[in-house]
Amino acid sequence: MHVEISLNNRHKLPHLIELLKSLDFVDSIKIQSDYNDADKPANSKTSLFDRFYGSVKGGLTIEQLDEQLTTLRDEWERTI
């Protein structure tokens, strides 16, 4: 039996592969990509936020996220 899955976020593919590998009834996994490297601009640097797309949820701006991280880091400086 064959199953075809279409992804709307290619960054999540490693998670899907690991999930499929963990299932004892999956015999093999074959990946066929329709993503073409020619579509990606050459020598383009991706920002840290682009590389970890989807890792931070909530729609925060970079400044708001930075403020929250600073607050979390400052917790270690408090006296107990």
Side-chain angles (χ1 to χ4, degrees):
M1 179 185 297
H2 296 278
V3 177
E4 183 176 323
I5 299 173
S6 177
L7 299 177
N8 61 6
N9 184 346
R10 65 184 176 90
H11 299 288
K12 302 287 184 174
L13 180 61
H15 300 294
L16 177 62
I17 292 171
E18 288 303 315
L19 177 65
L20 291 173
K21 284 181 181 178
S22 70
L23 301 173
D24 61 347
F25 55 87
V26 174
D27 288 330
S28 65
I29 301 169
K30 180 180 178 183
I31 300 170
Q32 181 179 359
S33 176
D34 55 5
Y35 177 73
N36 187 355
D37 286 338
D39 295 337
K40 188 177 181 182
N43 297 329
S44 67
K45 283 187 139 186
T46 57
S47 74
L48 182 65
F49 288 96
D50 289 339
R51 285 191 339 200
F52 297 106
Y53 174 77
S55 297
V56 178
K57 306 259 189 240
L60 298 175
T61 65
I62 294 174
E63 291 79 17
Q64 291 170 330
L65 181 62
D66 191 43
E67 183 179 326
Q68 284 189 1
L69 289 174
T70 302
T71 303
L72 289 172
R73 288 183 193 117
D74 288 344
E75 281 187 12
W76 292 99
E77 300 297 323
R78 64 185 170 93
T79 59
I80 298 177

XYZ file of all heavy atoms in Angstrom:
654
model
N 0.848 -1.178 0.000
C 0.000 0.000 0.000
C 0.888 1.232 0.000
O 1.907 1.285 0.678
C -0.903 0.012 1.230
C -1.791 1.241 1.270
S -2.789 1.407 2.762
C -3.792 -0.027 2.652
N 0.481 2.240 -0.746
C 1.221 3.494 -0.830
C 0.343 4.638 -0.326
O -0.858 4.664 -0.562
C 1.625 3.798 -2.275
C 2.565 2.810 -2.836
N 3.921 2.879 -2.598
C 2.375 1.721 -3.604
C 4.503 1.876 -3.202
N 3.589 1.154 -3.822
N 0.976 5.597 0.338
C 0.293 6.781 0.842
C 1.051 7.997 0.349
O 2.277 8.052 0.433
C 0.251 6.793 2.393
C -0.385 8.066 2.900
C -0.490 5.572 2.904
N 0.329 8.988 -0.161
C 0.961 10.227 -0.609
C 0.587 11.342 0.350
O -0.577 11.543 0.669
C 0.486 10.576 -2.021
C 1.157 11.813 -2.571
C 0.757 12.089 -4.011
O 0.590 11.135 -4.774
O 0.613 13.278 -4.339
N 1.608 12.075 0.813
C 1.398 13.174 1.757
C 1.991 14.435 1.153
O 3.132 14.446 0.706
C 2.077 12.881 3.111
C 1.487 11.634 3.743
C 1.937 14.081 4.041
C 2.221 11.182 4.983
N 1.219 15.490 1.151
C 1.690 16.781 0.665
C 1.879 17.706 1.861
O 0.974 17.865 2.679
C 0.659 17.368 -0.305
O 1.064 18.642 -0.719
N 3.069 18.312 1.971
C 3.372 19.192 3.102
C 3.238 20.648 2.696
O 3.645 21.031 1.608
C 4.801 18.950 3.598
C 5.115 17.557 4.109
C 6.568 17.463 4.498
C 4.238 17.215 5.288
N 2.693 21.463 3.587
C 2.616 22.895 3.329
C 3.755 23.649 4.001
O 3.902 24.841 3.838
C 1.266 23.469 3.767
C 1.018 23.306 5.249
O 1.892 22.870 5.980
N -0.170 23.635 5.686
N 4.575 22.919 4.771
C 5.733 23.522 5.441
C 6.874 22.510 5.391
O 6.920 21.581 6.182
C 5.381 23.873 6.882
C 6.507 24.578 7.594
O 7.642 24.601 7.134
N 6.205 25.155 8.739
N 7.799 22.690 4.460
C 8.870 21.707 4.276
C 9.830 21.660 5.460
O 10.578 20.709 5.626
C 9.630 21.972 2.980
C 10.375 23.261 2.946
C 11.012 23.491 1.583
N 11.650 24.771 1.533
C 12.913 24.981 1.871
N 13.658 23.983 2.254
N 13.424 26.181 1.807
N 9.791 22.661 6.327
C 10.653 22.678 7.501
C 10.228 21.627 8.533
O 11.002 21.270 9.414
C 10.661 24.057 8.161
C 11.164 25.143 7.260
N 12.487 25.266 6.923
C 10.515 26.129 6.608
C 12.635 26.292 6.100
N 11.451 26.831 5.899
N 9.004 21.155 8.422
C 8.486 20.154 9.360
C 8.756 18.725 8.893
O 8.451 17.769 9.591
C 6.966 20.335 9.535
C 6.553 21.689 10.028
C 6.899 21.860 11.467
C 6.374 23.198 11.959
N 6.534 23.376 13.358
N 9.346 18.553 7.717
C 9.590 17.230 7.159
C 10.426 16.338 8.076
O 10.073 15.168 8.264
C 10.240 17.344 5.776
C 10.540 16.022 5.073
C 9.261 15.235 4.846
C 11.254 16.279 3.768
N 11.505 16.810 8.691
C 12.265 15.926 9.590
C 11.425 15.369 10.742
O 11.593 14.217 11.131
C 13.389 16.816 10.119
C 13.551 17.875 9.085
C 12.180 18.102 8.525
N 10.499 16.167 11.261
C 9.622 15.697 12.336
C 8.715 14.581 11.835
O 8.501 13.582 12.523
C 8.771 16.841 12.894
C 9.576 17.963 13.458
N 10.360 17.829 14.579
C 9.726 19.240 13.048
C 10.954 18.976 14.844
N 10.585 19.854 13.921
N 8.181 14.764 10.637
C 7.304 13.752 10.056
C 8.077 12.462 9.804
O 7.577 11.369 10.084
C 6.686 14.268 8.755
C 5.797 13.279 8.010
C 4.593 12.886 8.854
C 5.362 13.857 6.677
N 9.293 12.561 9.298
C 10.101 11.371 9.024
C 10.379 10.605 10.314
O 10.247 9.378 10.356
C 11.411 11.764 8.314
C 11.103 12.270 6.905
C 12.367 10.584 8.254
C 12.285 12.876 6.194
N 10.743 11.317 11.371
C 11.008 10.654 12.651
C 9.755 9.974 13.188
O 9.824 8.875 13.738
C 11.555 11.642 13.675
C 12.975 12.069 13.396
C 13.940 10.903 13.319
O 13.887 10.006 14.189
O 14.738 10.871 12.370
N 8.616 10.622 13.033
C 7.362 10.033 13.483
C 7.061 8.754 12.706
O 6.708 7.728 13.290
C 6.209 11.035 13.314
C 4.820 10.529 13.668
C 4.747 10.203 15.152
C 3.776 11.548 13.296
N 7.230 8.799 11.392
C 6.980 7.617 10.571
C 7.949 6.486 10.897
O 7.566 5.313 10.930
C 7.056 7.978 9.088
C 5.937 8.871 8.562
C 6.222 9.298 7.124
C 4.590 8.177 8.658
N 9.210 6.818 11.145
C 10.204 5.793 11.487
C 9.862 5.095 12.801
O 10.207 3.935 12.997
C 11.593 6.417 11.604
C 12.241 6.731 10.289
C 13.627 7.321 10.526
C 14.327 7.673 9.246
N 15.644 8.286 9.498
N 9.201 5.817 13.693
C 8.879 5.241 14.997
C 7.727 4.238 14.935
O 7.519 3.483 15.879
C 8.538 6.353 15.997
O 7.298 6.946 15.670
N 7.002 4.213 13.838
C 5.879 3.288 13.693
C 6.397 1.936 13.219
O 7.112 1.842 12.225
C 4.857 3.850 12.702
C 4.260 5.210 13.067
C 3.391 5.727 11.928
C 3.447 5.107 14.343
N 6.005 0.882 13.914
C 6.529 -0.445 13.586
C 5.949 -1.029 12.299
O 6.513 -1.960 11.730
C 6.307 -1.405 14.746
C 4.844 -1.604 15.088
O 4.006 -0.826 14.593
O 4.543 -2.544 15.849
N 4.856 -0.506 11.796
C 4.241 -1.060 10.597
C 4.656 -0.341 9.308
O 4.205 -0.707 8.226
C 2.711 -1.058 10.718
C 2.121 0.288 11.026
C 1.809 1.182 10.023
C 1.876 0.650 12.342
C 1.268 2.421 10.312
C 1.325 1.888 12.636
C 1.027 2.768 11.621
N 5.551 0.648 9.394
C 6.037 1.351 8.209
C 7.262 0.603 7.684
O 8.261 0.449 8.381
C 6.395 2.816 8.541
C 7.028 3.503 7.345
C 5.151 3.570 8.978
N 7.161 0.117 6.434
C 8.263 -0.643 5.841
C 9.350 0.251 5.274
O 10.532 0.005 5.467
C 7.739 -1.557 4.719
C 6.943 -2.715 5.273
O 7.236 -3.161 6.396
O 6.017 -3.171 4.575
N 8.955 1.286 4.549
C 9.945 2.162 3.933
C 9.364 3.557 3.765
O 8.150 3.743 3.755
C 10.393 1.612 2.581
O 9.316 1.619 1.679
N 10.267 4.516 3.622
C 9.875 5.912 3.417
C 10.617 6.411 2.189
O 11.850 6.324 2.126
C 10.246 6.790 4.634
C 9.547 6.269 5.892
C 9.873 8.247 4.378
C 10.056 6.912 7.168
N 9.890 6.897 1.220
C 10.483 7.448 0.010
C 10.056 8.907 -0.097
O 8.871 9.220 -0.017
C 10.024 6.671 -1.218
C 10.604 7.192 -2.507
C 10.099 6.384 -3.693
C 10.646 6.957 -4.988
N 10.122 6.228 -6.147
N 11.011 9.797 -0.281
C 10.715 11.222 -0.333
C 11.021 11.739 -1.730
O 12.115 11.547 -2.252
C 11.545 11.996 0.706
C 11.216 11.476 2.094
C 11.284 13.484 0.594
C 12.127 11.993 3.161
N 10.028 12.387 -2.311
C 10.199 13.017 -3.613
C 9.849 14.484 -3.442
O 8.733 14.836 -3.103
C 9.286 12.372 -4.649
C 9.437 12.949 -6.024
C 8.532 12.248 -7.024
O 7.813 11.322 -6.689
N 8.565 12.711 -8.255
N 10.825 15.325 -3.655
C 10.638 16.748 -3.422
C 10.315 17.478 -4.715
O 10.913 17.222 -5.753
C 11.895 17.343 -2.806
O 11.762 18.732 -2.669
N 9.372 18.387 -4.637
C 9.098 19.255 -5.781
C 9.745 20.622 -5.569
O 9.532 21.540 -6.320
C 7.599 19.409 -6.024
C 6.847 19.899 -4.798
O 7.492 20.208 -3.786
O 5.630 19.958 -4.855
N 10.561 20.726 -4.515
C 11.293 21.956 -4.229
C 12.552 21.963 -5.072
O 13.345 21.030 -5.047
C 11.642 22.034 -2.738
C 12.463 23.247 -2.360
C 11.883 24.501 -2.318
C 13.810 23.141 -2.065
C 12.625 25.610 -1.977
C 14.564 24.233 -1.724
C 13.962 25.468 -1.686
O 14.700 26.562 -1.352
N 12.755 23.012 -5.811
C 13.895 23.125 -6.706
C 14.885 24.122 -6.120
O 14.523 25.241 -5.780
C 13.420 23.585 -8.089
C 14.512 23.566 -9.123
O 15.669 23.295 -8.825
N 14.149 23.852 -10.355
N 16.158 23.729 -6.010
C 17.171 24.632 -5.474
C 17.341 25.876 -6.338
O 17.819 26.901 -5.873
C 18.518 23.921 -5.345
C 18.525 22.958 -4.174
O 17.695 23.141 -3.262
O 19.352 22.031 -4.173
N 16.937 25.803 -7.603
C 17.042 26.970 -8.475
C 16.061 28.063 -8.058
O 16.256 29.232 -8.368
C 16.790 26.571 -9.924
N 15.006 27.678 -7.332
C 14.030 28.664 -6.861
C 14.581 29.516 -5.722
O 14.101 30.608 -5.467
C 12.753 27.975 -6.373
C 12.027 27.263 -7.491
O 12.235 27.633 -8.666
O 11.248 26.341 -7.188
N 15.587 29.003 -5.047
C 16.165 29.709 -3.912
C 17.251 30.657 -4.412
O 18.115 30.258 -5.171
C 16.771 28.690 -2.945
C 17.227 29.283 -1.646
C 17.730 28.182 -0.728
C 18.173 28.747 0.584
N 18.698 27.722 1.466
N 17.228 31.917 -4.000
C 18.266 32.854 -4.435
C 19.644 32.399 -3.977
O 19.818 31.958 -2.850
C 17.880 34.172 -3.773
C 16.521 33.999 -3.243
C 16.245 32.539 -3.141
N 20.622 32.530 -4.842
C 21.981 32.112 -4.513
C 22.605 33.070 -3.505
O 22.357 34.272 -3.531
C 22.823 32.065 -5.785
N 23.414 32.527 -2.613
C 24.150 33.299 -1.609
C 23.254 34.158 -0.728
O 23.648 35.231 -0.296
C 25.217 34.185 -2.263
C 26.261 33.357 -2.966
O 26.551 32.243 -2.556
N 26.820 33.897 -4.035
N 22.046 33.720 -0.498
C 21.165 34.495 0.378
C 21.347 34.002 1.805
O 21.355 32.805 2.060
C 19.706 34.348 -0.042
O 19.275 33.028 0.166
N 21.517 34.930 2.713
C 21.639 34.578 4.116
C 20.239 34.546 4.714
O 19.475 35.481 4.544
C 22.483 35.601 4.856
C 23.947 35.476 4.628
C 24.686 36.425 5.534
C 25.896 35.745 6.091
N 26.579 36.557 7.077
N 19.936 33.471 5.402
C 18.650 33.402 6.075
C 18.830 33.916 7.487
O 19.856 33.659 8.125
C 18.115 31.961 6.109
O 19.078 31.129 6.742
C 17.838 31.441 4.714
N 17.858 34.625 7.945
C 17.937 35.155 9.302
C 17.704 34.028 10.299
O 17.232 32.947 9.957
C 16.896 36.248 9.511
O 15.609 35.679 9.616
N 18.047 34.282 11.525
C 17.850 33.299 12.579
C 16.384 32.924 12.692
O 16.039 31.765 12.883
C 18.361 33.869 13.907
C 18.276 32.937 15.107
C 19.196 31.738 14.918
C 18.641 33.669 16.370
N 15.498 33.900 12.531
C 14.068 33.632 12.647
C 13.568 32.810 11.473
O 12.686 31.982 11.625
C 13.279 34.943 12.766
C 13.471 35.594 14.098
C 14.413 36.591 14.263
C 12.740 35.205 15.201
C 14.617 37.183 15.492
C 12.931 35.780 16.430
C 13.875 36.778 16.582
N 14.127 32.996 10.275
C 13.727 32.200 9.125
C 14.194 30.751 9.262
O 13.493 29.834 8.865
C 14.288 32.791 7.829
C 13.605 34.086 7.456
O 12.481 34.332 7.936
O 14.197 34.863 6.682
N 15.382 30.549 9.817
C 15.894 29.191 9.976
C 15.063 28.384 10.954
O 14.929 27.179 10.821
C 17.336 29.212 10.456
C 18.302 29.576 9.373
C 19.713 29.339 9.783
N 19.876 29.283 11.235
C 21.005 29.462 11.869
N 22.097 29.708 11.219
N 21.067 29.400 13.180
N 14.527 29.028 11.969
C 13.719 28.335 12.963
C 12.249 28.693 12.820
O 11.537 28.841 13.793
C 14.229 28.656 14.373
C 15.621 28.164 14.597
C 16.681 29.035 14.624
C 15.864 26.814 14.739
C 17.970 28.587 14.805
C 17.144 26.355 14.923
C 18.201 27.233 14.952
N 11.781 28.814 11.598
C 10.395 29.147 11.287
C 9.458 28.176 12.000
O 9.629 26.970 11.923
C 10.173 29.058 9.783
C 8.738 29.253 9.386
C 8.174 30.506 9.356
C 7.963 28.163 9.061
C 6.864 30.676 9.002
C 6.649 28.320 8.698
C 6.104 29.577 8.672
O 4.802 29.742 8.323
N 8.501 28.712 12.719
C 7.522 27.889 13.406
C 7.932 27.481 14.807
O 7.145 26.899 15.527
N 9.161 27.786 15.216
C 9.616 27.386 16.541
C 9.013 28.266 17.632
O 8.773 27.808 18.723
C 11.140 27.463 16.626
O 11.710 26.566 15.723
N 8.799 29.527 17.336
C 8.237 30.460 18.301
C 6.846 30.839 17.826
O 6.675 31.346 16.729
C 9.118 31.723 18.431
C 8.499 32.707 19.394
C 10.507 31.355 18.884
N 5.883 30.576 18.644
C 4.497 30.881 18.282
C 4.028 32.118 19.044
O 4.605 32.505 20.033
C 3.596 29.694 18.644
C 4.052 28.387 18.066
C 3.269 28.036 16.867
C 3.587 26.628 16.452
N 4.123 26.471 15.171
N 2.974 32.735 18.582
C 2.364 33.813 19.324
C 2.381 35.156 18.631
O 1.809 36.099 19.126
N 3.045 35.264 17.505
C 3.030 36.506 16.751
C 3.766 37.658 17.406
O 3.391 38.811 17.242
N 4.809 37.371 18.169
C 5.574 38.432 18.818
C 6.512 39.089 17.820
O 7.018 38.454 16.908
C 6.413 37.854 19.967
C 5.661 37.200 21.113
C 6.643 36.585 22.086
C 4.776 38.192 21.820
N 6.732 40.366 18.023
C 7.733 41.056 17.210
C 9.110 40.686 17.745
O 9.236 40.136 18.847
C 7.554 42.583 17.267
O 7.813 43.016 18.605
C 6.170 43.003 16.835
N 10.127 41.010 17.005
C 11.498 40.710 17.439
C 11.802 41.431 18.747
O 12.417 40.875 19.647
C 12.499 41.099 16.338
C 12.294 40.202 15.113
C 13.931 40.996 16.838
C 13.119 40.590 13.913
N 11.320 42.669 18.868
C 11.572 43.440 20.087
C 10.871 42.816 21.295
O 11.439 42.735 22.387
C 11.114 44.895 19.913
C 11.953 45.701 18.935
C 11.601 45.421 17.477
O 10.515 44.862 17.201
O 12.432 45.738 16.615
N 9.615 42.372 21.109
C 8.881 41.751 22.210
C 9.534 40.436 22.638
O 9.641 40.146 23.823
C 7.428 41.499 21.805
C 6.608 42.751 21.636
C 5.260 42.476 20.994
O 5.127 41.551 20.200
N 4.260 43.277 21.346
N 9.965 39.663 21.672
C 10.638 38.402 21.971
C 11.943 38.655 22.711
O 12.249 37.985 23.703
C 10.898 37.625 20.685
C 11.583 36.279 20.836
C 10.737 35.330 21.670
C 11.872 35.685 19.485
N 12.700 39.647 22.260
C 13.955 39.994 22.919
C 13.711 40.443 24.357
O 14.457 40.080 25.268
C 14.674 41.086 22.121
C 16.086 41.300 22.601
O 16.783 40.296 22.858
O 16.493 42.473 22.724
N 12.658 41.202 24.573
C 12.316 41.663 25.927
C 11.967 40.484 26.829
O 12.388 40.415 27.982
C 11.145 42.642 25.860
C 10.756 43.224 27.198
C 9.604 44.199 27.075
O 9.516 44.900 26.054
O 8.787 44.249 28.011
N 11.197 39.523 26.301
C 10.847 38.349 27.099
C 12.077 37.510 27.428
O 12.219 37.018 28.550
C 9.820 37.482 26.362
C 8.429 38.043 26.397
C 7.401 37.059 25.850
O 7.730 35.946 25.469
N 6.156 37.489 25.808
N 12.982 37.359 26.469
C 14.200 36.603 26.726
C 15.066 37.293 27.773
O 15.646 36.638 28.644
C 14.995 36.416 25.429
C 14.389 35.449 24.414
C 15.185 35.476 23.126
C 14.317 34.050 24.978
N 15.146 38.612 27.707
C 15.917 39.370 28.696
C 15.319 39.183 30.085
O 16.042 38.988 31.062
C 15.958 40.855 28.320
O 16.524 40.986 27.013
C 16.784 41.660 29.312
N 14.001 39.222 30.181
C 13.322 39.018 31.462
C 13.623 37.630 32.011
O 13.903 37.464 33.204
C 11.799 39.190 31.295
O 11.533 40.484 30.762
C 11.077 39.035 32.617
N 13.590 36.616 31.146
C 13.895 35.256 31.588
C 15.344 35.132 32.045
O 15.638 34.467 33.047
C 13.618 34.258 30.461
C 12.156 34.020 30.125
C 12.022 33.170 28.871
C 11.451 33.343 31.290
N 16.242 35.783 31.353
C 17.661 35.730 31.740
C 17.875 36.441 33.072
O 18.707 36.021 33.885
C 18.530 36.359 30.669
C 18.644 35.514 29.432
C 19.586 36.152 28.432
N 19.466 35.530 27.158
C 19.048 36.138 26.052
N 18.728 37.416 26.073
N 18.963 35.484 24.907
N 17.137 37.521 33.297
C 17.301 38.291 34.532
C 16.817 37.525 35.750
O 17.194 37.835 36.878
C 16.579 39.628 34.432
C 17.290 40.595 33.484
O 18.474 40.348 33.163
O 16.647 41.579 33.061
N 15.970 36.511 35.552
C 15.494 35.721 36.687
C 16.651 35.027 37.397
O 16.608 34.792 38.596
C 14.495 34.665 36.225
C 13.122 35.204 35.971
C 12.127 34.098 35.681
O 12.444 32.914 35.901
O 11.026 34.414 35.221
N 17.706 34.702 36.678
C 18.842 34.015 37.275
C 19.642 34.960 38.168
O 20.405 34.504 39.028
C 19.751 33.439 36.186
C 19.084 32.330 35.460
C 18.456 32.407 34.240
C 18.921 30.991 35.897
N 17.939 31.188 33.897
C 18.196 30.286 34.898
C 19.305 30.291 37.029
C 17.881 28.950 35.019
C 18.989 28.948 37.146
C 18.286 28.295 36.144
N 19.479 36.248 38.003
C 20.217 37.229 38.792
C 19.510 37.562 40.102
O 20.073 38.234 40.943
C 20.408 38.521 37.978
C 21.183 38.319 36.692
C 22.605 37.835 36.941
O 23.228 38.278 37.927
O 23.077 37.006 36.150
N 18.299 37.080 40.268
C 17.545 37.428 41.485
C 18.091 36.671 42.691
O 18.668 35.600 42.573
C 16.060 37.130 41.317
C 15.747 35.671 41.134
C 14.254 35.483 40.842
N 13.987 34.136 40.439
C 13.615 33.159 41.262
N 13.442 33.406 42.543
N 13.382 31.957 40.815
N 17.892 37.236 43.874
C 18.315 36.555 45.099
C 17.221 35.612 45.542
O 16.028 35.893 45.411
C 18.594 37.579 46.205
O 17.404 38.330 46.433
C 19.737 38.489 45.839
N 17.624 34.503 46.076
C 16.651 33.481 46.495
C 16.432 33.552 47.984
O 17.243 33.783 48.766
C 17.128 32.067 46.088
C 17.235 32.006 44.582
C 16.206 31.018 46.614
C 17.752 30.687 44.048
